[in-house]
mmCIF file of all heavy atoms in Angstrom:
data_model
loop_
_atom_site.group_PDB
_atom_site.id
_atom_site.type_symbol
_atom_site.label_atom_id
_atom_site.label_comp_id
_atom_site.label_asym_id
_atom_site.label_seq_id
_atom_site.Cartn_x
_atom_site.Cartn_y
_atom_site.Cartn_z
ATOM 1 N N GLY N 104 294.204 13.105 250.769
ATOM 2 C CA GLY N 104 293.882 11.751 251.219
ATOM 3 C C GLY N 104 292.851 11.683 252.320
ATOM 4 O O GLY N 104 292.933 10.817 253.193
ATOM 5 N N VAL N 105 291.842 12.566 252.294
ATOM 6 C CA VAL N 105 290.803 12.555 253.325
ATOM 7 C C VAL N 105 290.010 11.250 253.220
ATOM 8 O O VAL N 105 289.660 10.801 252.137
ATOM 9 C CB VAL N 105 289.867 13.780 253.178
ATOM 10 C CG1 VAL N 105 288.709 13.704 254.155
ATOM 11 C CG2 VAL N 105 290.662 15.062 253.388
ATOM 12 N N GLY N 106 289.788 10.633 254.359
ATOM 13 C CA GLY N 106 289.058 9.367 254.413
ATOM 14 C C GLY N 106 289.900 8.309 255.101
ATOM 15 O O GLY N 106 290.859 8.614 255.815
ATOM 16 N N THR N 107 289.533 7.061 254.900
ATOM 17 C CA THR N 107 290.248 5.947 255.528
ATOM 18 C C THR N 107 291.370 5.470 254.615
ATOM 19 O O THR N 107 291.144 5.132 253.453
ATOM 20 C CB THR N 107 289.288 4.776 255.819
ATOM 21 O OG1 THR N 107 288.252 5.248 256.689
ATOM 22 C CG2 THR N 107 290.017 3.624 256.489
ATOM 23 N N ASN N 108 292.578 5.450 255.149
ATOM 24 C CA ASN N 108 293.754 4.969 254.423
ATOM 25 C C ASN N 108 294.273 3.718 255.126
ATOM 26 O O ASN N 108 294.348 3.678 256.355
ATOM 27 C CB ASN N 108 294.828 6.052 254.383
ATOM 28 C CG ASN N 108 294.396 7.240 253.547
ATOM 29 O OD1 ASN N 108 294.459 7.194 252.332
ATOM 30 N ND2 ASN N 108 293.914 8.287 254.198
ATOM 31 N N LYS N 109 294.595 2.712 254.348
ATOM 32 C CA LYS N 109 295.082 1.445 254.888
ATOM 33 C C LYS N 109 296.605 1.406 254.812
ATOM 34 O O LYS N 109 297.181 1.653 253.762
ATOM 35 C CB LYS N 109 294.476 0.281 254.127
ATOM 36 C CG LYS N 109 292.968 0.226 254.274
ATOM 37 C CD LYS N 109 292.416 -1.087 253.801
ATOM 38 C CE LYS N 109 290.926 -1.158 254.035
ATOM 39 N NZ LYS N 109 290.537 -1.115 255.415
ATOM 40 N N ILE N 110 297.213 1.069 255.952
ATOM 41 C CA ILE N 110 298.662 0.921 256.022
ATOM 42 C C ILE N 110 298.931 -0.563 256.256
ATOM 43 O O ILE N 110 298.490 -1.132 257.256
ATOM 44 C CB ILE N 110 299.279 1.745 257.178
ATOM 45 C CG1 ILE N 110 298.725 3.176 257.202
ATOM 46 C CG2 ILE N 110 300.800 1.698 257.096
ATOM 47 C CD1 ILE N 110 298.862 3.937 255.928
ATOM 48 N N SER N 111 299.655 -1.173 255.321
ATOM 49 C CA SER N 111 299.957 -2.606 255.404
ATOM 50 C C SER N 111 301.444 -2.813 255.612
ATOM 51 O O SER N 111 302.268 -2.099 255.045
ATOM 52 C CB SER N 111 299.541 -3.328 254.118
ATOM 53 O OG SER N 111 298.168 -3.228 253.934
ATOM 54 N N CYS N 112 301.748 -3.815 256.418
ATOM 55 C CA CYS N 112 303.131 -4.239 256.625
ATOM 56 C C CYS N 112 303.198 -5.741 256.371
ATOM 57 O O CYS N 112 302.479 -6.513 257.003
ATOM 58 C CB CYS N 112 303.592 -3.919 258.045
ATOM 59 S SG CYS N 112 305.292 -4.448 258.367
ATOM 60 N N ARG N 113 304.048 -6.110 255.424
ATOM 61 C CA ARG N 113 304.306 -7.533 255.150
ATOM 62 C C ARG N 113 305.704 -7.828 255.659
ATOM 63 O O ARG N 113 306.657 -7.117 255.330
ATOM 64 C CB ARG N 113 304.207 -7.823 253.652
ATOM 65 C CG ARG N 113 304.470 -9.289 253.308
ATOM 66 C CD ARG N 113 304.223 -9.565 251.829
ATOM 67 N NE ARG N 113 305.028 -8.736 250.953
ATOM 68 C CZ ARG N 113 306.218 -9.086 250.462
ATOM 69 N NH1 ARG N 113 306.769 -10.252 250.787
ATOM 70 N NH2 ARG N 113 306.878 -8.269 249.665
ATOM 71 N N ILE N 114 305.824 -8.879 256.483
ATOM 72 C CA ILE N 114 307.122 -9.261 257.046
ATOM 73 C C ILE N 114 307.481 -10.643 256.514
ATOM 74 O O ILE N 114 306.650 -11.551 256.505
ATOM 75 C CB ILE N 114 307.094 -9.283 258.586
ATOM 76 C CG1 ILE N 114 306.697 -7.918 259.134
ATOM 77 C CG2 ILE N 114 308.447 -9.710 259.142
ATOM 78 C CD1 ILE N 114 306.569 -7.868 260.648
ATOM 79 N N THR N 115 308.745 -10.782 256.084
ATOM 80 C CA THR N 115 309.261 -12.091 255.679
ATOM 81 C C THR N 115 310.470 -12.418 256.560
ATOM 82 O O THR N 115 311.076 -11.532 257.151
ATOM 83 C CB THR N 115 309.687 -12.107 254.204
ATOM 84 O OG1 THR N 115 310.760 -11.188 254.019
ATOM 85 C CG2 THR N 115 308.525 -11.744 253.285
ATOM 86 N N ASN N 116 310.780 -13.709 256.627
ATOM 87 C CA ASN N 116 311.964 -14.109 257.402
ATOM 88 C C ASN N 116 312.895 -14.954 256.537
ATOM 89 O O ASN N 116 312.620 -15.190 255.360
ATOM 90 C CB ASN N 116 311.569 -14.840 258.690
ATOM 91 C CG ASN N 116 310.999 -16.223 258.444
ATOM 92 O OD1 ASN N 116 310.809 -16.651 257.320
ATOM 93 N ND2 ASN N 116 310.702 -16.939 259.501
ATOM 94 N N GLY N 117 313.979 -15.403 257.123
ATOM 95 C CA GLY N 117 314.971 -16.196 256.404
ATOM 96 C C GLY N 117 314.456 -17.531 255.910
ATOM 97 O O GLY N 117 315.025 -18.122 254.991
ATOM 98 N N SER N 118 313.379 -18.026 256.493
ATOM 99 C CA SER N 118 312.789 -19.302 256.066
ATOM 100 C C SER N 118 311.730 -19.104 254.998
ATOM 101 O O SER N 118 310.986 -20.002 254.681
ATOM 102 C CB SER N 118 312.160 -20.020 257.272
ATOM 103 O OG SER N 118 313.123 -20.293 258.244
ATOM 104 N N LYS N 119 311.640 -17.891 254.488
ATOM 105 C CA LYS N 119 310.689 -17.534 253.422
ATOM 106 C C LYS N 119 309.229 -17.598 253.877
ATOM 107 O O LYS N 119 308.334 -17.748 253.068
ATOM 108 C CB LYS N 119 310.896 -18.386 252.164
ATOM 109 C CG LYS N 119 312.297 -18.329 251.606
ATOM 110 C CD LYS N 119 312.671 -16.922 251.224
ATOM 111 C CE LYS N 119 314.080 -16.901 250.648
ATOM 112 N NZ LYS N 119 314.735 -15.647 250.784
ATOM 113 N N GLN N 120 309.001 -17.485 255.174
ATOM 114 C CA GLN N 120 307.638 -17.353 255.677
ATOM 115 C C GLN N 120 307.260 -15.891 255.569
ATOM 116 O O GLN N 120 308.135 -15.020 255.556
ATOM 117 C CB GLN N 120 307.542 -17.799 257.137
ATOM 118 C CG GLN N 120 307.861 -19.256 257.359
ATOM 119 C CD GLN N 120 307.948 -19.576 258.837
ATOM 120 O OE1 GLN N 120 308.499 -18.810 259.615
ATOM 121 N NE2 GLN N 120 307.396 -20.703 259.223
ATOM 122 N N GLU N 121 305.961 -15.600 255.492
ATOM 123 C CA GLU N 121 305.534 -14.207 255.478
ATOM 124 C C GLU N 121 304.175 -14.058 256.135
ATOM 125 O O GLU N 121 303.379 -14.991 256.158
ATOM 126 C CB GLU N 121 305.502 -13.630 254.068
ATOM 127 C CG GLU N 121 304.467 -14.207 253.150
ATOM 128 C CD GLU N 121 304.457 -13.496 251.802
ATOM 129 O OE1 GLU N 121 305.508 -13.447 251.156
ATOM 130 O OE2 GLU N 121 303.384 -12.995 251.424
#
Side-chain angles (χ1 to χ4, degrees):
V105 174
T107 301
N108 293 281
K109 297 193 176 296
I110 313 305
S111 297
C112 179
R113 180 174 58 93
I114 302 177
T115 63
N116 71 356
S118 299
K119 304 300 181 205
Q120 297 172 319
E121 67 176 56

